[in-house]
């Protein structure tokens, strides 16, 4: 069924084998700029970017994104890990953290909107409450999704295979009817092992070709 969508001239031809499409957020729906975050923190704390990078613990970040560490403790643990005495104010910490989030990828979001006419569309993201709250205020794609699987709510991060189980539970989809779009190959491989159809996202133009290879034509 070719449908004219939302007054855009994007048409979607449906693949009846796929029912639900799950989108990653960072680098797929929005650009992300970790270097802007690091620079802002370095400037605010009067430190070098290297000092910031060396102090930023992946363990702490993971714990925050699986909901084990509160906003306050995320800030305090990071501040305490910096060279002391440290003058990084909480407000500056969170301003820097939000600078990680860049602009929407307009073409990808147009594709998401058009897909939402024929498919149930979901978010499946390693993320945290601060970023999601900020995105909800500034992003246009939330009105086109059925729901979201966020790492901090389900207590695990991609590529943990159980997060795909969480997604199936929430959506009611079965693996063979699910499509997952992500920019990180390890997440794609995990979903594929779980029996999902996958697209390794590189850029928005290629995404149209990747969809059409699954008989989802977006024109």
């Amino acid at each position: 069924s070719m449908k004219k969508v939302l007054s855009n001239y994007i048409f979607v031809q449906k693949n009846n084998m796929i029912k639900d499409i799950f989108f990653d957020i960072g680098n797929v729906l929005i650009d992300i700029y970790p270097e802007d975050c690091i620079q802002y923190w370095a400037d605010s704390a009067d430190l070098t970017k290297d000092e910031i990078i060396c102090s930023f613990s992946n363990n702490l970040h993971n714990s925050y994104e699986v909901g084990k560490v509160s906003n306050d403790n995320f800030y305090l643990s990071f501040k305490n890990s910096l060279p002391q005495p440290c003058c990084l104010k909480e407000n500056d910490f969170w301003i820097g953290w939000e600078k990680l989030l860049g602009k929407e990828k307009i073409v990808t979001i147009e594709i998401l909107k058009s897909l939402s006419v024929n498919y149930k569309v979901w978010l499946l993201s390693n993320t945290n409450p601060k970023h999601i709250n900020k995105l909800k205020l500034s992003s246009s794609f939330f009105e086109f999704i059925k729901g979201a699987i966020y790492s901090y709510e389900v207590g695990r991060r991609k590529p943990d295979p159980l997060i795909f189980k969480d997604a199936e539970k929430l959506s009611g989809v079965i693996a063979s009817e699910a499509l997952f779009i992500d920019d990180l190959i390890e997440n794609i491989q995990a979903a594929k092992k779980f029996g999902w159809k996958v697209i390794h996202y590189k850029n928005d133009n290629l995404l149209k070709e990747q969809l059409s290879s699954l008989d989802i034509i977006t024109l």
Side-chain angles (χ1 to χ4, degrees):
S1 64
M2 294 293 251
K3 281 190 184 175
K4 184 175 171 190
V5 177
L6 308 170
S7 79
N8 298 328
Y9 293 97
I10 294 189
F11 297 85
V12 176
Q13 182 178 314
K14 195 168 185 305
N15 172 337
N16 290 317
M17 293 301 296
I18 295 170
K19 301 268 193 296
D20 294 57
I21 302 178
F22 297 80
F23 278 83
D24 174 38
I25 300 176
N27 282 333
V28 175
L29 297 177
I30 64 160
D31 290 314
I32 58 170
Y33 298 107
E35 61 281 6
D36 289 4
C37 170
I38 291 160
Q39 185 68 62
Y40 189 86
W41 285 343
D43 293 343
S44 302
D46 204 18
L47 295 167
T48 66
K49 288 198 288 186
D50 280 348
E51 285 172 315
I52 296 290
I53 291 163
C54 289
S55 300
F56 190 78
S57 146
N58 280 334
N59 279 344
L60 175 62
H61 186 209
N62 286 345
S63 298
Y64 181 47
E65 293 209 327
V66 296
K68 286 193 178 132
V69 169
S70 67
N71 288 333
D72 285 351
N73 284 339
F74 183 49
Y75 159 65
L76 288 170
S77 300
F78 176 60
K79 184 185 174 183
N80 291 337
S81 71
L82 292 168
Q84 300 298 322
C86 173
C87 63
L88 180 63
K89 293 189 187 72
E90 184 168 13
N91 190 43
D92 285 331
F93 174 77
W94 291 119
I95 291 171
W97 188 237
E98 285 187 355
K99 285 188 181 295
L100 197 115
L101 306 173
K103 289 197 165 66
E104 295 193 339
K105 292 167 108 47
I106 292 167
V107 176
T108 312
I109 289 170
E110 289 302 327
I111 292 170
L112 179 152
K113 287 179 189 178
S114 68
L115 292 171
S116 72
V117 175
N118 283 324
Y119 301 91
K120 289 193 288 174
V121 174
W122 308 79
L123 305 176
L124 177 48
S125 176
N126 291 347
T127 188
N128 57 82
K130 282 281 187 183
H131 281 165
I132 290 302
N133 290 340
K134 168 79 171 158
L135 286 170
K136 280 183 173 167
L137 293 172
S138 61
S139 302
S140 64
F141 48 84
F142 286 91
E143 60 187 293
F144 299 99
I145 61 167
K146 287 282 179 203
I149 299 89
Y150 299 134
S151 59
Y152 72 92
E153 290 182 341
V154 297
R156 47 185 145 249
R157 295 173 95 236
K158 302 173 293 187
D160 182 336
L162 288 175
I163 203 168
F164 301 104
K165 199 79 190 148
D166 294 325
E168 288 175 10
K169 265 193 206 125
L170 181 70
S171 65
V173 77
I174 57 173
S176 61
E177 294 176 344
L179 169 62
F180 177 49
I181 301 168
D182 196 297
D183 64 308
L184 294 178
I185 190 68
E186 59 269 28
N187 297 342
I188 286 299
Q189 286 164 341
K192 199 173 178 180
K193 272 193 192 136
F194 215 74
W196 286 29
K197 293 180 178 66
V198 293
I199 286 176
H200 183 204
Y201 180 93
K202 302 269 176 49
N203 61 62
D204 45 31
N205 286 325
L206 187 60
L207 177 58
K208 292 184 177 189
E209 289 175 34
Q210 291 167 313
L211 285 164
S212 70
S213 72
L214 292 170
D215 297 325
I216 302 172
I217 315 296
T218 58
L219 301 170

